[in-house]
Amino acid sequence: MAVFQFNLIFSTLFYSVIFLKISVGVDTLFPNQTIVVGQTLISRSQIFELGFFSGTRYLGIWYKSTPDVIVWVANRENPITNTRKVFLTIAENGTLAITSGGRIIWSAELFEPASNPVLQLLDNGNLNRKSPSEESFIWQSFDYPTDTWLPGMKMAYDTDSGRHKYITSWRNPNDPSPGYFTLRIENLGLPEMVIWRGKTKRFRTGKWNGLYFSGGPPFPNSVFKPDVVIKEEMMISMSEIFDSSVLVRLTLETSGTLRRYTMSARRDKWNPVYANPLDPCDEYGKCGPNGICRIDKPVICECLRGFAPKFQKDWDRQDWSGGCARIKPLNCENGDGFLEVKGVKHPDMLQ
């Protein structure tokens, strides 16, 4: 089946090249047209640009005014090693592929054939493939995010379709291949957003309380105005409405820090707005079980009342991961009860 699909794609692209047209639309690629190294698509309002970058090794989308900020990479797992005859093309049946030296480097999933589809780069940064007579997209880059969450793009936890959409950091600032960190929606108990390093949690927003995440500022606010879909007590998706007058992005950096940026009024630089984790106390499990982190203290970790370090020698070396243990067994009949603790996230009780 895989061999048949490859032959079908290759045959389609071969005949596309025979009828190759040299001109490329400003924001649209028509059937049998190609983009080669040095050519780009530019969105209608000159916000985004698509083309080859990093010495022609990758096809990506970037901000036209700040081309060093790449927001999407098509072939992040398959860099182009042979830079001879590199091009992106869309065939009459909708096949979208990057080829190099006659070999297919990357192709978009083709779930069903389409009649004379076009490829268009929108002002929100979404690259979409659709038939001229249809409003809905046959394929879109927003369904395959890389390290950047853009307004109009959905983070999704869709159990019905079995497809989850999340962002993954680059490997390093010069290598867009999938890195060590991911940002996902998690629906264990109440929903929350979690940054993972492999299978280890690095940061959590705190549980969703019906209005916002308990570990962050209330929203909508002047910085973040999300659209949240809840179904059967599960967060299905979260997105942000695109507004061309205010350009923003949320990037999961190679360090595992999630950082939000806003573009300056002159659209010549990016201003950082906030970051998560905010400080060492914002990192997941910094002080271990039954510990509490206070960033204003010389030693930031301490035990809750009635608890003591589980491994004192580790605590003396500022390794707090082992957490705290009860000093004496709990005895509710002798006055033990609940203690209010303010300014903290609800504990992560589920494994």
Side-chain angles (χ1 to χ4, degrees), residues 18 58 65 107 117 127 160 210 258 289 293 301 314 319 332 351:
I18 290 178
Y58 299 98
S65 61
S107 63
L127 182 69
D160 292 335
L258 183 68
C293 191
C301 285
D314 290 343
D319 176 4
C332 295
Q351 299 296 323

Side-chain angles (χ1 to χ4, degrees), residues 5-302:
Q5 184 179 30
F6 177 85
N7 289 335
L8 175 63
I9 293 173
F10 186 80
S11 300
T12 304
L13 292 175
F14 176 77
Y15 287 109
S16 296
V17 174
I18 290 178
F19 298 102
L20 177 66
K21 300 176 183 179
I22 299 300
S23 62
V24 177
V26 174
D27 66 346
T28 303
L29 191 70
F30 294 95
N32 300 330
Q33 289 184 325
T34 64
I35 291 178
V36 299
V37 176
Q39 291 182 320
T40 61
L41 293 183
I42 301 173
S43 67
R44 182 172 300 176
S45 298
Q46 307 275 307
I47 298 175
F48 287 98
E49 189 168 16
L50 173 136
F52 292 98
F53 71 97
S54 186
T56 73
R57 298 179 69 230
Y58 299 98
L59 178 82
I61 297 172
W62 57 83
Y63 289 92
K64 190 174 187 305
S65 61
T66 57
D68 59 315
V69 178
I70 312 292
V71 299
W72 182 77
V73 183
N75 59 317
R76 68 184 308 195
E77 297 186 60
N78 298 292
I80 299 165
T81 55
N82 181 0
T83 58
R84 184 173 60 89
K85 296 182 180 179
V86 176
F87 59 83
L88 169 74
T89 188
I90 182 169
E92 290 183 355
N93 73 340
T95 301
L96 177 66
I98 301 169
T99 65
S100 169
R103 187 171 69 91
I104 295 174
I105 302 299
W106 170 88
S107 63
E109 292 181 275
L110 183 62
F111 295 107
E112 58 184 41
S115 178
N116 294 316
V118 298
L119 186 70
Q120 186 177 30
L121 180 60
L122 303 181
D123 277 336
N124 62 359
N126 190 15
L127 182 69
N128 72 83
R129 180 179 58 182
K130 67 176 183 177
S131 297
S133 59
E134 300 288 339
E135 289 297 324
S136 60
F137 302 145
I138 304 169
W139 175 93
Q140 59 177 346
S141 61
F142 272 12
D143 286 340
Y144 306 91
T146 52
D147 71 328
T148 301
W149 185 8
L150 295 172
M153 178 188 290
K154 287 185 177 181
M155 296 282 284
Y157 183 98
D158 193 341
T159 54
D160 292 335
S161 68
R163 296 188 64 184
H164 305 318
K165 299 174 189 175
Y166 54 89
I167 59 177
T168 305
S169 67
W170 284 27
R171 182 63 58 92
N172 64 56
N174 298 311
D175 181 358
S177 64
Y180 304 106
F181 298 95
T182 58
L183 172 69
R184 304 168 178 255
I185 295 173
E186 185 173 279
N187 281 301
L188 295 175
L190 295 175
E192 61 184 345
M193 303 289 288
V194 177
I195 296 176
W196 292 85
R197 180 186 172 99
K199 296 183 178 181
T200 303
K201 288 185 180 181
R202 169 173 165 75
F203 166 81
R204 55 190 282 262
T205 58
K207 299 295 185 179
W208 179 254
N209 63 15
L211 298 174
Y212 53 88
F213 294 111
S214 61
F219 55 69
N221 53 47
S222 59
V223 176
F224 189 40
K225 301 175 182 178
D227 180 25
V228 178
V229 176
I230 302 290
K231 180 180 178 182
E232 297 177 354
E233 299 185 353
M234 298 179 69
M235 181 174 290
I236 302 302
S237 69
M238 174 177 282
S239 60
E240 187 174 358
I241 297 173
F242 172 70
D243 180 357
S244 61
S245 66
V246 182
L247 298 184
V248 299
R249 61 184 171 94
L250 200 63
T251 299
L252 183 58
E253 299 178 342
T254 58
S255 64
T257 298
L258 183 68
R259 202 177 300 274
R260 186 175 178 86
Y261 294 90
T262 302
M263 186 173 276
S264 66
R266 293 188 299 274
R267 295 198 172 180
D268 59 352
K269 68 174 184 177
W270 289 94
N271 299 313
V273 180
Y274 64 79
N276 295 119
L278 181 63
D279 54 47
C281 283
D282 216 14
E283 295 176 10
Y284 183 82
K286 185 70 176 180
C287 298
N290 303 309
I292 187 166
C293 191
R294 302 188 187 279
I295 198 64
D296 58 335
K297 297 292 184 68
V299 178
I300 60 175
C301 285
E302 57 187 51

